Amino acid sequence: MFDLIIKGGTLPDGTVADIGITGDRITAMGRLEGAEAGQVIDATGDLVSPPFVDPHFHLDATLSYGLPRINASGTLLEGIGLWGELKQIVTEEEMVARALEYCDWAASMGLLAIRSHVDTCDDSLKGVAAMLEVRDKVKGYIDLQLVAFPQDGFYRDPTARDNTLRALDMGVDVVGGIPHFERTMADGAASVRELCEIAAARGLRVDMHCDESDDPMSRHIETLAYEAQRLRLQGRVAGSHLTSMHSMDNYYVSKLLPLMAEAGVAAIPNPLINIMLQGRHDTFPKRRGLTRVKEMQAQGITVGWGQDCVRDPWYSLGTADMLDVAFMGLHVAQMSSPEEMRRCFDMVTIENARILGLTDYGLHVGAVASLVVLDAGDPIEAVRLRAARLAVVSKGRVIARNPRGDATLEIAGRPGMVRRRHPVA
Ligand code: FE2
């Protein structure tokens, strides 16, 4: 007797299996013919995946688009300035309310684990308090991992260092940084060193905004890899964005990527936001704003797609849909072969789970019973359609049901249902 059975779904590897769930765990996989359950979801012909994971987000700023004004230049730097104005006037309650609304969007989209950077450059630390409250409020259905993020510079902002340490003392999970925003390259490198030492001393993971610029000489990822190696943080460090790598010298990159692989440093490109923000100082040719994704993967570096922003000072769109993120990443990185398209799906599920260090993630006996039923036949089709989430299960509970994405056609002579699903012949 199971609490819930997901019947007949196709797993991302193409196998067809029933999934038996008891409490918050997957307790059986395979053919569960005749088994009884309190609830059954028929997923015959549909893709059943472990939940989506977002390794890079800003939950303290989300859903604030237009407050107090929009980003006229569309640049990262104006966005930082705009957020600087907004964080003076936003209240803790408003941040909590917006973040919880976003978590509702995420839950409905099967996005059940989020790593969110929280700004620590505000002496009141109201954003940190707000996000800790949200982390607690959503813990029954979303795993929220918080990164202490000195947005205005760990050294450049006079109180950021103290405030970042205070945020970690308050229970923030991961150490962040923004070395390319410090006053000099030397200060940036020093900030990477000190922040990694703080993480090592506290037994925490590291995730830094790193080289988020079009400057080919911005090379903080080199320092981040060096410190990960020196402090034995392999597998616990991620560099977010890494956009400058698109313009680095090829010879230099041929040395850099093996160093990243050796240091076990993961990469988190954010294709929606960086195709929008980068290259704004270029005329033509105009750079694409994305780091070297396939080249890193070829070196064995873990790479996961992140969302970064939804309706905030940096990005005006977004729906908490990690398939939108994979879709954009697939295009900008030119990941067009079947293997590469398939990998883009993994990059918003299992690869991101690895970056967050999620334990008991996945579809296997003993794993946490969190999954999403998609209106698609396979992972590539899920990306192509940004497929409807027919059902979302979190920790054993069905938390969302959505309709199929089919349209009813009313053209004279050809009435009927339009199915966008289109299996490979
Ligand atoms: Fe970010």
Side-chain angles (χ1 to χ4, degrees), residues 89-101:
I89 54 175
V90 70
T91 67
E92 190 175 322
E93 292 71 28
E94 287 166 342
M95 275 194 269
V96 169
R98 289 179 195 138
L100 288 174
E101 183 179 359

Side-chain angles (χ1 to χ4, degrees), residues 5-20 28-33 40-50 363 371-379 390-391 404 421:
I5 290 178
I6 311 297
K7 204 157 185 51
T10 304
L11 308 186
D13 68 2
T15 59
V16 174
D18 304 327
I19 300 172
M29 299 272 298
R31 276 180 62 84
L32 303 176
E33 212 59 55
V40 176
I41 292 177
D42 183 6
T44 304
D46 297 322
L47 178 64
V48 178
S49 167
L363 298 181
L371 55 84
V372 54
V373 182
L374 291 148
D375 187 5
D378 58 59
L390 302 174
R404 288 186 189 275
R421 284 175 61 169

Side-chain angles (χ1 to χ4, degrees), residues 56-58 117 149 209 212 240-241 270 308-309:
H56 190 111
F57 197 65
H58 293 264
H117 296 252
F149 175 48
H209 286 66
E212 188 183 7
S240 282
H241 297 290
N270 299 283
D308 203 4
C309 299

Side-chain angles (χ1 to χ4, degrees), residues 174-392:
V174 178
V175 178
I178 186 164
H180 56 274
F181 196 68
E182 303 293 349
R183 287 197 168 84
T184 64
M185 286 293 286
D187 267 10
S191 77
V192 172
R193 182 185 186 95
E194 183 172 358
L195 287 159
C196 285
E197 286 173 350
I198 290 167
R202 292 173 179 247
L204 300 177
R205 290 173 180 269
V206 175
D207 186 341
M208 293 203 192
H209 286 66
C210 201
D211 301 330
E212 188 183 7
S213 77
D214 296 330
D215 174 7
M217 299 306 290
S218 184
R219 293 177 170 184
H220 297 299
I221 182 59
E222 176 186 275
T223 307
L224 187 62
Y226 176 81
E227 293 300 331
Q229 181 88 24
R230 181 177 73 89
L231 297 164
R232 297 192 171 83
L233 291 168
Q234 286 94 336
R236 302 172 63 79
V237 176
S240 282
H241 297 290
L242 308 181
T243 47
S244 70
M245 203 188 289
H246 64 52
S247 293
M248 285 175 179
D249 175 71
N250 285 340
Y251 181 83
Y252 172 70
V253 172
S254 74
K255 178 192 174 198
L256 174 66
L257 297 190
L259 289 173
M260 286 178 67
E262 187 182 53
V265 172
I268 305 171
N270 299 283
L272 286 170
I273 186 77
N274 286 123
I275 195 71
M276 191 72 100
L277 291 181
Q278 306 311 126
R280 292 272 180 162
H281 298 254
D282 294 347
T283 53
F284 290 93
K286 194 182 278 289
R287 286 169 285 186
R288 299 169 83 94
L290 192 75
T291 191
R292 304 193 192 201
V293 175
K294 292 195 281 190
E295 293 75 9
M296 284 193 278
Q297 290 173 330
Q299 294 285 334
I301 296 165
T302 299
V303 187
W305 296 125
Q307 180 159 234
D308 203 4
C309 299
V310 167
R311 305 278 294 156
D312 71 7
W314 296 274
Y315 188 68
S316 51
L317 305 176
T319 60
D321 186 352
M322 292 308 292
L323 290 174
D324 272 348
V325 179
F327 187 82
M328 179 62 81
L330 181 156
H331 284 80
V332 185
Q334 299 180 320
M335 297 178 72
S336 53
S337 75
E339 295 75 22
E340 289 165 348
M341 290 193 287
R342 167 59 214 264
R343 184 140 201 192
C344 284
F345 186 86
D346 290 344
M347 289 169 69
V348 291
T349 52
I350 56 176
E351 307 271 6
N352 282 344
R354 184 176 307 130
I355 291 171
L356 264 64
L358 298 181
T359 53
D360 303 337
Y361 173 91
L363 298 181
H364 55 85
V365 172
V368 172
S370 294
L371 55 84
V372 54
V373 182
L374 291 148
D375 187 5
D378 58 59
I380 295 172
E381 191 167 62
V383 174
R384 178 175 71 83
L385 297 174
R386 275 80 83 221
R389 268 105 289 204
L390 302 174
V392 178

